[in-house]
Amino acid sequence: MSPQKKRQSSWRIRLLGELQFNYRTFQYLGPEQWVPRTRIENLQSRVSRHIIKESAMQHLKHCQGLAQVFLIRSQSSRLSKSIIPSLSVWDGNISSRWRSTGGHGRQKYFNDRLPKFRFALAGLLAGSGAVLAYKLQQGKVQWAATSAELPVAETSTPPIYTLEEVTKHRSLDNGVWVTYKGDVYDITEFVAIHPGGDKILLAAGGALEPYWALYAVHQQEHVLEILSKYKIGVLNPESYKKQESANPSDPYSAEPTRHPALQINSLKPFNAEPPASILSDNYITPSVIFFKRNHLPVPRLDPKTYKLEIEGLPDGVVSLSLSELKSRFPKHTITATLQCAGNRRSEMNQVKQVKGLNWGIGAISNATWSGARLRDVLVYYGFGPEVEAKAKHVQFEGLDRDVTGSAYGASIPLNKAVSEESDVLLAYEMNGEDLPPDHGYPVRVVVPGVVGARNVKWLGKIVVSDEESKSHWQQNDYKGFSPGTDWDTVDFKSAPAIQELPIQSAITHPAEGTSLDLSDKELTVKGYAWSGGGREVVRVDVSIDGGKTWHVAKLRSSDTGQHPVPPPPGRAWAWKLWEIDIPVPHRAQELEIVCKAVDNSYNTQPDTVAPIWNLRGVLSNAWHRVKVKVSV
């Protein structure tokens, strides 16, 4: 933007020598900045309460060699008839100017050149600043001019904005605006000092409420006081109440509301993952940002009329209500990580294009799940040695259906379903609450240690059978193939359906391409690690030189920092979060950070993607690599 255009849209308030003065808050700002007109309007009301008297100019004149304050004003400013004081230092020469605009005509410039005060400049600046601050604090300073005072107007209502205007301010370049309870805030200056770093930018151009709900620390008085300093206006009533109208002909019209932090891979059906920057903030992933993997529209189910059918048992078809499921069977709780088969598919796309959603590293999350054990339910309704001798699989069918009426389905081996150590649940709670709609309300299957595709949501039917599910997603998807297999030669019947997943790890901090200021000479690296089948992660190795040298990260299995009791062998269902501080080599300009995990069976990750590439982009678990720049 040219200087002329900037002057047309804002006032620039500057002290030469990299000093600046923001007349809205009377604070030293540092680097040069443009002050929005809305802030000048806010200034007007403040000036009206703190009439600045003539003595200020007298004090400034006594401080020879002082800095000159420029107030360069828009021609379309509401203060069209104001007298604007202007003082500046040019290499020690003092220049006092008064600019008059509007109906009184343009007044004369006065320019008095005085001797240079190179050696006294620093002291003069400090002294004059103290005088000005003192006078402002006492409320005895008045802008003085030869013929007029600065006119101010009382503003009874704050500026009003639309949502469209707010959403245009989503970056540091364009300004960072957010809303909270109908008010609009310009928090651009606050981003650099936000205790949570640049995560605050996730809310840029939108509402703060969804993000503050994740972090209870924001629900405190002093936080609201800080926010209030950045208020610039309010939303108009239409924007505040705005809701998207539902289209009854659209099968996705009744979809639930999702958290705005989620990075969307597809809208219909909805598939999204949390940003890597917040993925490992919590050992237990908040339900609202737990990755969403839907294959069909989310069904709207009434818990009062919900029925779960069970087939393949001696007593024939069984129908079970939600209340019966909760009352007849003990409630069992586990902590388990779910991961999509396509997690980190984007890295396979970098080798060669594959078919599937372009997942990053966030198609994995960890939660507590509560419900009835599948084994308990099956045994209650007649499962025994006779059935076990014939059956080999347990099939699951969801209540989510496509336009043809076909439902999502999957199956798991019978021994996994009925083992006392498998902890397979008919879950009705997630993180201590009813399952959210996106996660299978009112009942879903949770099969810990197994690919997410077998954890069927909105469960409507269970079938104990000698056959796998005939579902497309069991027979013709979620299978791995050789890198040499393409879509012309692939035979889905030749490969088994994915069940247990291989060992996995990824770096959540720092992000790819980040420029790091390493004045402390250490780099903090964070991430997650998990292995399928209940195998426990026992080590994570981290390198910052592309794998030449390695460091062992510290693992944790809770949010509190305590050391929980290790899980029984074969039942480590939850991920490990890890962190490490690594010294940065002297004069390093770029770092290639690498991580790899090891489980208790000593399975580890392959070093590159190419040897495990496959046409569906599943089972992507090569060493995760992140490159960052270093600035000293």
Side-chain angles (χ1 to χ4, degrees), residues 174-453:
N174 297 324
V176 179
W177 290 16
V178 295
T179 65
Y180 182 70
K181 294 185 176 180
D183 293 330
V184 181
Y185 302 87
D186 180 355
I187 61 169
T188 309
E189 298 170 11
F190 181 70
V191 172
I193 58 175
H194 178 233
D198 60 4
K199 290 178 185 177
I200 196 172
L201 293 176
L202 293 170
L208 284 173
E209 286 90 336
Y211 299 91
W212 282 17
L214 289 176
Y215 303 98
V217 68
H218 293 100
Q219 309 301 325
Q220 299 184 47
E221 187 72 22
H222 74 276
V223 176
L224 297 176
E225 290 177 1
I226 294 172
L227 180 65
S228 67
K229 297 177 182 179
Y230 298 92
K231 182 176 175 179
I232 59 173
V234 298
L235 285 175
N236 66 4
E238 293 77 14
S239 292
Y240 190 44
K241 298 177 181 178
K242 186 177 181 180
Q243 295 179 348
E244 294 183 357
S245 59
N247 180 2
S249 64
D250 183 355
Y252 292 94
S253 62
E255 294 283 283
T257 301
R258 279 88 181 207
H259 198 281
L262 292 170
Q263 297 176 341
I264 299 173
N265 285 314
S266 74
L267 280 172
K268 299 179 181 182
F270 188 82
N271 291 280
E273 61 188 297
S277 61
I278 63 175
L279 179 58
S280 61
D281 280 358
N282 302 282
Y283 180 72
I284 300 297
T285 310
S287 301
V288 292
I289 60 169
F290 196 105
F291 84 96
K292 311 290 188 286
R293 179 60 176 112
N294 298 334
H295 297 83
L296 299 166
V298 175
R300 302 184 69 177
L301 304 174
D302 185 349
K304 296 180 180 179
T305 60
Y306 169 81
K307 293 291 183 179
L308 172 61
E309 293 185 354
I310 304 175
E311 299 179 5
L313 298 176
D315 296 335
V317 178
V318 174
S319 183
L320 186 64
S321 70
L322 179 61
S323 61
E324 289 171 334
L325 180 65
K326 291 181 176 181
S327 62
R328 289 182 182 175
F329 306 100
K331 182 178 178 180
H332 185 59
T333 299
I334 62 172
T335 300
T337 296
L338 298 186
Q339 180 182 221
C340 179
N343 190 33
R344 298 179 59 193
R345 180 180 282 132
S346 58
E347 294 166 56
M348 286 196 174
N349 275 324
Q350 294 173 9
V351 174
K352 183 180 178 181
Q353 196 67 31
V354 300
K355 289 187 178 180
L357 297 171
N358 194 41
W359 294 107
I361 67 169
I364 183 172
S365 300
N366 191 49
T368 59
W369 310 94
S370 299
R373 285 190 176 96
L374 175 59
R375 171 185 169 80
D376 293 346
V377 175
L378 295 180
V379 169
Y380 181 89
Y381 289 109
F383 177 83
E386 182 181 346
V387 177
E388 189 173 11
K390 298 178 181 179
K392 296 180 180 178
H393 306 273
V394 176
Q395 303 174 9
F396 307 111
E397 185 177 295
L399 293 170
D400 49 334
R401 301 179 182 277
D402 62 18
V403 292
T404 68
S406 298
Y408 181 85
S411 61
I412 61 174
L414 178 67
N415 62 346
K416 175 69 175 179
V418 300
S419 169
E420 293 186 20
E421 297 182 347
S422 292
D423 293 325
V424 179
L425 296 184
L426 302 181
Y428 44 78
E429 289 183 3
M430 177 183 184
N431 292 339
E433 299 179 343
D434 289 345
L435 290 172
D438 266 320
H439 295 289
Y441 181 80
V443 178
R444 72 171 298 167
V445 182
V446 173
V447 190
V450 168
V451 65

